Amino acid sequence: MTSTPRYVLFPGRHHLLTQFQADYLQRLADEGAGTIVWAVTSANHENTKRNPIPYHRREAAIERFSVETGLRSVVVPIFDTAPTDRFAQVTLKTVTVATGLDLTPADTLVACSTPQVAALYEELGFRIAPVEADPALPSVPERPWDVLLRLAAGDDSWRKLAHPATVDVYDRYGLSTVVQTVVNDPVVGDEGGLTATRDYRTYVEAFADAAARKWTAVRQYVQPGRIVDIGCGAGAVLELADRDDALHESDLIGVEVARHLYQECVHKKAQGVFANANVYFYQRNVLGGAVLPDRSVDTTLTFALTHEIWSYGQQRASLLQFARRIHDHTVPGGVWINSDVCGPGDRTRPVILRLTSDDGENPSSPRTDLEALPSAEVAAYVGSLSTRAKLDQFAVDFAFPFEFTPRPDGTVRIPYGQAMDFLTRKDYTDNWLSETHEQFCGLDFADWVSLLAEAGFDLDPASHPLRNDWVIDNRITPVASLADEDGNPLDWPTTHAIIVARRPRNS
C-alpha cells in the first residue's frame, strides 16, 4: 500500500456478512486503514430475490459486526438507480450528502470484489482492495451471496461461513425464513414482481381510474372487521374503503407483491392519504406462505389478480392453492370477493372470427424478436399493425400456445377462448409483452364454481358472470365479428365475473 488510507469504502448489497470479510477488513486495519464506509446499495429494496433483506436489518448487522470486530464504521444507504456508468460518482456523492465525508483517491481505498464496479472506481483514480477476488489469496473464499444461497437451499453450513453478527440478527428477526421464502419463490421475479415487462405507471393510472367502479360493484358484500386487499396495486380501492364511514373501525390491510406498487402504498400512507390509523401494507406473495393468521380475516378483496396467479403459476393448481390460503385465513362466515376476467363457456369450441385488416400495417409475417426490443419500440410496432396482423403477432408472443386456421374468405377458424383472449388483449400495446404472458380465459364461470367448492367455500347467489359492454362496443365490435362454424352470427360472450365466496360458519 503506497499510503495509509483514512477510509475504506466498501460498496455492496451486504445482505450477509462473512467471517472472511471480517478477517480481510481486520488485515486492512492492521496495515493502518481507518474508518470503513459501508455503502449499502439497493437500500430501498427488500423482499425481492436480488434483495431479500431490508436495509435496516442489514444496517443492524453491520453495526453489530463493527462492535464485535472493533472496526470503526459508517453505514450509508444507497438507493437503487437506473443502470449508469456514473454509479461510482453517485455513490460518492450520496456518502457526502449523508455523512459530510468527501472521499477522494488520496485518502480512500475501495474494497470491491466485482470487477465491473471496481473498474468504475479505478477510472476515478481509486486504489482497489479486491476482497474475495484477491489473486494473492491461497484459495478462493465463498462470496456472501453464495453463502446466502446456501441458507436458501437449507444448507446449515452457512452459519459457519457467516459472521456471528449476521447469524445473530438473522436468528433474532427470523430472516432465514424470509430469505428462503423470497429466494425460492417460483413466481416472483428478481426485482419483486410477476413480470419485468410491465409499465407500472400506466398500470397504476388504469387501476386508479377503475377503482371507483370496482368498489361500487362489490361494496354491498364487504363485511366490517379485518379487510384485506390482496394485489392491492397502489392502494386505490383501500383509499375508497378508508373514506367509508361504516368501515372506520375496520383494519384495512393491503398485500402487494410488486415492489414498485408496494412502495407507492407506503408513500401514500406516509403522506397522510389514509385517515384510518389502522391501515397496513405488506409486500408478500401469498402463494409463498400465509400472510395473516388462520381465521383472522372478515373480508378478502381481489381485483384483476386471479388470472395472474393462473398465468404465472401452475394454472389451476396454483389458483386452488391460493383459494385454500384465503379460506384458511377467513373467519367462519367471512367472505372472499373476487372481481376478474372470465372466459366464455365451451371455450375450446371452434368459432369463425373475422378481423379488420385495413386499420394498420399487414407485414408478410409476424416478428419473433420483440422480447429483445425496448418497450417503446414494441409498443410502436404492435400499435402500427392492423387488427388481423395483431392476431398473427399475438400467436407468436402468447405464453399459452394455440393454433388457428386462416380461411379463403379472410376469416380464421380459432378456439372460442383464444379468440376472446386475443380480442380482450389486442389494445394493450404499451404492455404487450406483459399482457401476452397472461391468460384471461383460462377459467369460465362453471370452472370457478367447481374450484371454490373444492377449496371449501360456499358460492353466494350474488356471484355472476358478466360482459363488459364498453369494451365490446368500443374495442371489439368495430373491428371484429364472430360466427359459428355454420356461419351463424354469435353474440359476444362473458368477459368478467364477480365471485362472492363465503366460508361456512360451521367450518
Side-chain angles (χ1 to χ4, degrees):
M1 197 176 297
T2 57
S3 63
T4 302
R6 294 178 58 199
Y7 303 102
V8 175
L9 176 62
F10 197 3
R13 288 179 286 161
H14 300 307
H15 290 284
L16 182 147
L17 310 177
T18 65
Q19 185 60 54
F20 170 81
Q21 288 176 322
D23 296 340
Y24 191 90
L25 293 173
Q26 190 63 64
R27 285 197 298 272
L28 293 180
D30 291 344
E31 294 173 11
T35 301
I36 313 296
V37 180
W38 302 74
V40 182
T41 58
S42 298
N44 55 327
H45 289 191
E46 62 180 280
N47 210 48
T48 72
K49 288 188 178 182
R50 287 188 67 250
N51 296 290
I53 305 299
Y55 167 75
H56 63 285
R57 301 298 187 216
R58 290 182 259 172
E59 180 185 33
I62 293 170
E63 294 288 7
R64 185 166 181 80
F65 174 97
S66 301
V67 171
E68 294 188 11
T69 60
L71 294 167
R72 188 171 188 270
S73 294
V74 172
V75 189
V76 180
I78 309 295
F79 280 21
D80 197 53
T81 64
T84 174
D85 291 337
R86 297 181 58 80
F87 175 74
Q89 289 97 321
V90 170
T91 300
L92 292 165
K93 289 178 181 178
T94 303
V95 170
T96 300
V97 170
T99 67
L101 298 176
D102 185 14
L103 305 182
T104 69
D107 62 13
T108 302
L109 176 70
V110 175
C112 181
S113 63
T114 305
Q116 299 92 327
V117 176
L120 298 177
Y121 288 97
E122 284 185 304
E123 289 176 6
L124 300 177
F126 287 90
R127 290 170 293 144
I128 305 298
V131 201
E132 292 90 0
D134 194 332
L137 295 172
S139 60
V140 179
E142 199 138 359
R143 292 172 181 261
W145 188 253
D146 295 326
V147 178
L148 186 139
L149 292 180
R150 282 179 180 253
L151 185 164
D155 182 350
D156 211 43
S157 65
W158 76 273
R159 292 176 174 272
K160 296 180 180 178
L161 297 168
H163 189 271
T166 285
V167 176
D168 174 66
V169 171
Y170 271 48
D171 286 347
R172 280 191 286 135
Y173 292 101
L175 299 182
S176 295
T177 300
V178 172
V179 168
Q180 290 173 334
T181 299
V182 173
V183 173
N184 296 322
D185 194 309
V187 177
V188 180
D190 287 351
E191 297 303 331
L194 295 174
T195 170
T197 57
R198 174 171 288 162
D199 180 346
Y200 283 100
R201 177 185 56 80
T202 57
Y203 179 82
V204 168
E205 290 171 354
F207 200 91
D209 290 343
R213 173 175 52 81
K214 293 176 184 293
W215 179 244
T216 299
V218 306
R219 170 62 186 93
Q220 61 185 309
Y221 312 117
V222 174
Q223 297 181 186
R226 179 171 280 189
I227 300 169
V228 179
D229 184 359
I230 300 178
C232 66
V237 169
L238 288 180
E239 288 183 54
L240 297 173
D242 178 68
R243 299 170 195 164
D244 191 317
D245 290 341
L247 302 176
H248 75 278
E249 293 187 355
S250 295
D251 290 352
L252 305 179
I253 301 170
V255 180
E256 176 55 53
V257 67
R259 173 176 54 81
H260 309 72
L261 302 178
Y262 166 74
Q263 290 176 338
E264 180 62 21
C265 291
V266 173
H267 176 70
K268 284 183 176 180
K269 183 178 178 180
Q271 295 299 309
V273 169
F274 298 96
N276 188 333
N278 295 310
V279 176
Y280 308 96
F281 292 101
Y282 298 92
Q283 187 188 5
R284 296 287 190 275
N285 170 25
V286 175
L287 291 180
V291 175
L292 296 158
D294 288 355
R295 297 171 174 248
S296 69
V297 177
D298 296 278
T299 299
T300 301
L301 303 170
T302 53
F303 296 96
L305 173 71
T306 50
H307 76 274
E308 293 191 340
I309 293 171
W310 169 281
S311 300
Y312 293 102
Q314 300 299 316
Q315 284 75 65
R316 191 181 190 278
S318 293
L319 202 51
L320 179 59
Q321 178 187 355
F322 178 72
R324 284 174 169 161
R325 290 203 184 282
I326 293 179
H327 178 275
D328 288 346
H329 79 211
T330 302
V331 301
V335 63
W336 173 22
I337 304 166
N338 178 37
S339 173
D340 205 353
V341 290
C342 184
D346 197 16
R347 62 186 180 281
T348 61
R349 162 193 180 189
V351 295
I352 306 303
L353 180 63
R354 182 179 296 278
L355 300 171
T356 297
S357 60
D358 60 2
D359 56 348
E361 300 295 327
N362 292 282
S364 58
S365 62
R367 294 183 63 163
T368 59
D369 64 342
L370 295 191
E371 292 278 359
L373 299 180
S375 58
E377 290 187 28
V378 174
Y381 174 72
V382 176
S384 73
L385 299 176
S386 73
T387 303
R388 174 65 185 84
K390 282 182 183 175
L391 175 62
D392 292 333
Q393 189 63 52
F394 184 79
V396 170
D397 299 323
F398 194 41
F400 302 85
F402 69 95
E403 296 181 356
F404 64 92
T405 305
R407 292 161 35 108
D409 63 354
T411 61
V412 298
R413 184 177 184 269
I414 185 173
Y416 204 5
Q418 277 75 23
M420 293 308 298
D421 253 312
F422 165 68
L423 290 170
T424 53
R425 212 71 48 77
K426 65 181 178 59
D427 296 299
Y428 292 110
T429 55
D430 284 348
N431 286 303
W432 180 259
L433 293 178
S434 174
E435 294 294 340
T436 55
H437 280 75
E438 299 177 8
Q439 188 173 29
F440 282 13
C441 300
L443 294 179
D444 61 26
F445 190 75
D447 294 325
W448 269 111
V449 173
S450 174
L451 185 144
L452 289 168
E454 190 173 346
F457 282 104
D458 289 339
L459 192 69
D460 190 287
S463 304
H464 61 281
L466 64 141
R467 192 177 75 178
N468 186 326
D469 286 331
W470 187 92
V471 170
I472 297 296
D473 295 342
N474 292 277
R475 296 286 179 81
I476 295 178
T477 299
V479 295
S481 61
L482 203 62
D484 64 20
E485 291 195 278
D486 295 325
N488 301 307
L490 293 175
D491 198 7
W492 297 109
T494 292
T495 59
H496 292 73
I498 290 181
I499 306 290
V500 182
R502 299 187 183 277
R503 178 168 178 166
R505 292 188 179 276
N506 60 356
S507 67

